[in-house]
Amino acid sequence: MSTVTHGMDTAAGLAAADDLTGGAAQIDALAARLDAALADFDWWGPDAERVRSDWSFTQRPHLELVAEHLSELALRLRAEADEQDRASGGTGEGGTAPAGPGAAPQRGLLDRIGAWIGDRLQAGGVALGRFLGAATDLQGKVVDVLTGQRDWSVSAIAASALGTVGTALGVGVNLGTGVDQRWLAGGRGVAGDPVAVPTSDTGLGHRPALEAPRSLDTIMQSVTDAYANGTAEGSNGEVRIVRVDNGTGPPAYIVNVPGTETWTPSAGSMPRDLSANLQLMAGNPTAAAESVRAAMERAGIPPDSPVLLVGHSQGGMITGHLATDPAFRERFNVTNMVTYGAPVDHLDVRGVDVLQMGHTLDPVPRTDLEGLGTSHTPTSRHVDLPSPGAWNDVLTNHSHEAYIRSVHDALASDTPLGAELRAYQSSGSMAPFLVGPDGSGRRATAVDVPVQRLPD
C-alpha cells in the first residue's frame, strides 16, 4: 500500500469532533441555566411575561442555533475521519506520515477550529456573568418591593428588566462573534486634564467660547457647548465647569453635563451611552456619573464652594443621582440643580434648590413615569415649557438648543411661566452663580474636562 501524504490525522480529527460535541453540550447547559435564572424567582405581571417571552422566543433560539452548528461540524469531521480511514486501509493513520506535506496544514485547521470554539465559549462566559449580575439586580429590586424594604420606582424595575434582556442578548452576540461586544457592560469613569475655555470667540479651533452665566438660558448654553466639544474627533465626551469669582467669598462652580452621546448597546469609551441610560434609570452606579465626579475633582472644586449641577436629558439624570449620593454631597457643597428634558421625578433630592423643566410634548422627562411606585414627596420646582414642535416631533421637542430658546423667550415674557423662571433665577441660592449684565462684581472662567469609560 502506498503512503498517504495528503488527508487528515483522523485521531486528531475525531478528538476535535469530540471537543465540538462537548462545546454544543456546554451551550445547551448554559441555556438551561439561563432558563432557571429567569424562572426560579417570583415575578409576575406584563413586564415579567415580556422578558420571559423575549428569552424563550428570541434569545434562547440563538443559543440553540450555535449548538446545532457545532454538532453539525462535529458530524462532518467524524465523516471525514471515517472516509480517510477507509482510503488508507483502516489504519487510522491516513494523513499522519511525518514527511507528508498535508500534515501541517491539517493540524492548522484543527487548531483554528479549537480556537474558534474556545473564543466563543470564553466570550459567551463573560457575557453570561454580565447577564447573571443583571438578573440578580432585577430579582433584588423585586424582592425589595415585595418585602417593603425599598420602594423602587416602576421605571427602575422596568429599566433593570430591559438591562437583563439586553445582557441576555449579549450572550448570543458574544457566542456568535467570539469577541466580547460588551453589551450593556459597566466600567470605570475617569477624567482627563482640564482645558481652559476661551472667554471670547477667536475663531481658532473647535472649542466654543464661554457664555458668561447672566441668566438661566446663558447657563444652559454651556451644556450645549459641552455637547459640541464631544463631537470633536477622538473625544469621548466632556464636562464644562464654570467658575464664578466674586472677589470675597469662595468661588461658585457650575457643572454642565450633556446627555446621551451614543446609542450603541456596546459599552465603549464614551460613558454617556445607552448602557448608562438604563443603569441610571435602574438606580445603579455608572461610569457616566463617576466620570462627572472625577471631572469635578480634576477641576479642583473646594468642599466649601457652592455648586450648581446643570444637565440635559441623561445629563440631568446624572446630576440627580449625584445629588442623592451621600458621599458625593459630603465632598461637594451642592446647593442648586437645574435639569431639562430629564426624567428625575423618581429621585428623592433633598436639601438642594431644584428647577426641573420639560417641554409639554417632550416624552423623555416622563420615561420614569413621573416617579410612579415611589412614596417620596417631590421637592423640586417643576416647570412645563411650551413645546416648539408638533406632538410627533420628538427630536425638536427634546433638543437642548430648543430648550435654551424656550427658556430665553419665557424669561422675556410677561407671563406666569416667565415670572416663575425669573423667581428661581433671582433667588438667593442662585446669586453666587450669576454675573451682572455688564459683568461687574464677578468674573467667570471655565475649563472643559474630557471624560472616558475604562473597561472593567
Side-chain angles (χ1 to χ4, degrees):
M1 182 181 67
S2 61
T3 301
V4 178
T5 59
H6 290 73
M8 175 188 289
D9 180 342
T10 56
L14 291 172
D18 290 340
D19 288 341
L20 289 169
T21 301
Q26 289 184 49
I27 293 175
D28 287 336
L30 169 63
R33 288 174 60 189
L34 297 177
D35 282 336
L38 284 175
D40 288 351
F41 67 94
D42 292 332
W43 182 30
W44 312 106
D47 288 338
E49 293 174 2
R50 183 171 59 255
V51 169
R52 290 177 174 131
S53 176
D54 286 346
W55 163 248
S56 299
F57 293 99
T58 304
Q59 290 91 44
R60 199 183 201 290
H62 289 165
L63 295 180
E64 293 172 349
L65 184 62
V66 173
E68 290 175 4
H69 287 168
L70 294 179
S71 296
E72 291 174 1
L73 185 54
L75 289 174
R76 292 179 186 176
L77 280 176
R78 290 191 178 97
E80 291 288 341
D82 290 342
E83 184 177 346
Q84 180 65 58
D85 280 344
R86 287 194 298 271
S88 58
T91 64
E93 301 175 353
T96 61
Q106 189 62 48
R107 172 61 65 185
L109 172 63
L110 296 177
D111 289 342
R112 288 195 297 273
I113 291 173
W116 187 90
I117 298 170
D119 289 344
R120 277 149 182 78
L121 292 179
Q122 182 178 8
V126 172
L128 174 61
R130 202 170 286 140
F131 164 77
L132 294 176
T136 300
D137 173 69
L138 173 60
Q139 181 178 0
K141 285 182 169 61
V142 173
V143 170
D144 283 348
V145 172
L146 294 177
T147 59
Q149 296 184 42
R150 180 170 177 177
D151 58 344
W152 289 101
S153 67
V154 173
S155 60
I157 294 176
S160 185
L162 287 173
T164 302
V165 172
T167 52
L169 283 170
V171 175
V173 171
N174 280 14
L175 287 172
T177 62
V179 177
D180 182 18
Q181 302 294 335
R182 292 183 53 78
W183 270 40
L184 305 185
R188 183 166 61 91
V190 297
D193 295 329
V195 178
V197 175
T199 55
S200 61
D201 189 0
T202 63
L204 301 176
H206 73 279
R207 198 168 300 280
L210 172 64
E211 179 81 27
R214 298 185 172 92
S215 57
L216 283 171
D217 55 320
T218 54
I219 286 175
M220 295 161 64
Q221 180 62 43
S222 284
V223 174
T224 292
D225 292 340
Y227 268 117
N229 291 334
T231 64
E233 184 177 357
S235 175
N236 295 307
E238 294 191 0
V239 174
R240 174 161 287 193
I241 299 179
V242 179
R243 169 175 167 153
V244 179
D245 291 283
N246 61 17
T248 56
Y253 290 84
I254 308 172
V255 180
N256 302 278
V257 188
T260 308
E261 292 172 302
T262 177
W263 287 94
T264 174
S266 296
S269 55
M270 281 188 171
R272 294 189 290 267
D273 61 358
L274 174 61
S275 175
N277 274 319
L278 288 175
Q279 294 301 324
L280 286 165
M281 187 69 79
N284 296 330
T286 63
E290 187 180 11
S291 67
V292 172
R293 174 174 180 146
M296 295 171 67
E297 295 282 5
R298 295 301 294 266
I301 299 179
D304 60 340
S305 285
V307 172
L308 163 60
L309 301 174
V310 185
H312 169 253
S313 193
Q314 184 188 131
M317 296 174 68
I318 291 171
T319 65
H321 277 269
L322 292 174
T324 57
D325 180 356
F328 179 85
R329 294 285 297 278
E330 184 176 352
R331 167 63 182 85
F332 297 103
N333 178 28
V334 180
T335 62
N336 293 71
M337 185 174 87
V338 173
T339 70
Y340 47 107
V344 293
D345 284 319
H346 62 293
L347 298 173
D348 189 10
V349 181
R350 299 285 174 175
V352 177
D353 196 354
V354 179
L355 175 64
Q356 181 184 349
M357 298 179 288
H359 283 137
T360 54
L361 296 179
D362 182 1
V364 176
R366 297 166 179 82
T367 53
D368 66 348
L369 306 179
E370 299 182 337
L372 180 64
T374 59
S375 59
H376 70 266
T377 302
T379 58
S380 63
R381 308 187 196 194
H382 195 295
V383 175
D384 288 326
L385 300 168
S387 295
W391 67 269
N392 59 346
D393 191 354
V394 176
L395 293 180
T396 297
N397 291 328
H398 187 59
S399 163
H400 53 94
E401 294 170 322
Y403 270 107
I404 294 176
R405 290 191 294 270
S406 295
V407 171
H408 175 81
D409 292 345
L411 286 171
S413 68
D414 186 16
T415 62
L417 171 60
E420 189 171 6
L421 292 179
R422 287 191 296 272
Y424 182 82
Q425 178 177 282
S426 61
S427 64
S429 66
M430 283 292 294
F433 307 105
L434 297 169
V435 300
D438 58 355
S440 61
R442 292 192 175 96
R443 176 174 177 267
T445 56
V447 293
D448 290 329
V449 186
V451 295
Q452 183 180 359
R453 177 199 281 119
L454 299 179
D456 295 320

